[in-house]
Amino acid sequence: MNQSSQIRTQPWGHYDDIVVGSSFTGFGRSVTDAEITMMTAMTTGFHQPLHADAEWIEKHTEFKGILLPGPIIVAYAIGLLSATLVYSGITIAFLGLDKVRSKAPVYGGDTIRPTATVQSKKRTSNPARGIVELAIVVHNQEGAEVQSFLYTLMVRA
């Protein structure tokens, strides 16, 4: 998906602005080999050869190179969606991640772009708060789905 075909909604000013089934697309991010090295150092300490050893990958897997760690894809996706400012003005708290699924590798040079779809919303026992569940799908530059997960936020209602 290119920048001009992205769909973004206006920032949510109130709980009633959130429409179940609506979607918005985050910004894209091109991943560098240097980022993969840095994130691997911070997360796996180079103990996982999928994220550190090109020769091992070539010999033991079907992958074409060193992979970006999956949890970093989640972090990037959340950041790229947050940068749209769609939900930032009414978010009270991050509540959780569920059903994280990696579907394809992300290599240095790939560009990832997340799309969020409002899967559900409900008010809490406190009428000033609501819970919103976003279904996030991350695609690469070729349109392949690389990861999906559910992202739950508490928002002002």
Side-chain angles (χ1 to χ4, degrees):
M1 180 180 296
N2 64 37
Q3 187 77 9
S4 63
S5 66
Q6 291 185 53
I7 299 169
R8 291 210 177 82
T9 61
Q10 293 297 316
W12 298 335
H14 189 271
Y15 181 79
D16 294 333
D17 295 337
I18 304 167
V19 178
V20 174
S22 65
S23 296
F24 60 98
T25 299
F27 294 93
R29 177 179 181 90
S30 296
V31 176
T32 67
D33 291 328
E35 286 175 286
I36 294 173
T37 300
M38 179 179 65
M39 294 304 179
T40 297
M42 292 188 331
T43 60
T44 68
F46 299 109
H47 301 295
Q48 174 51 266
L50 287 172
H51 309 301
D53 188 337
E55 290 179 18
W56 185 91
I57 291 167
E58 184 178 349
K59 184 176 179 181
H60 298 286
T61 77
E62 71 279 4
F63 298 119
K64 66 177 186 177
I66 294 173
L67 309 177
L68 180 67
I72 304 307
I73 300 169
V74 171
Y76 281 175
I78 291 169
L80 294 167
L81 289 165
S82 294
T84 68
L85 305 179
V86 169
Y87 54 83
S88 64
I90 67 169
T91 299
I92 295 171
F94 160 77
L95 296 180
L97 293 172
D98 294 288
K99 299 186 179 181
V100 178
R101 300 292 181 265
S102 294
K103 311 226 175 152
V106 174
Y107 302 104
D110 284 352
T111 299
I112 58 173
R113 186 178 318 278
T115 297
T117 300
V118 179
Q119 183 160 314
S120 67
K121 75 176 194 174
K122 63 182 177 183
R123 292 198 186 255
T124 68
S125 59
N126 178 342
R129 295 180 177 172
I131 306 297
V132 176
E133 187 174 63
L134 299 173
I136 311 296
V137 178
V138 183
H139 291 92
N140 67 14
Q141 70 281 356
E142 296 167 353
E145 184 175 328
V146 298
Q147 195 171 75
S148 64
F149 58 94
L150 299 176
Y151 181 50
T152 306
L153 299 171
M154 180 180 289
V155 297
R156 284 194 314 277

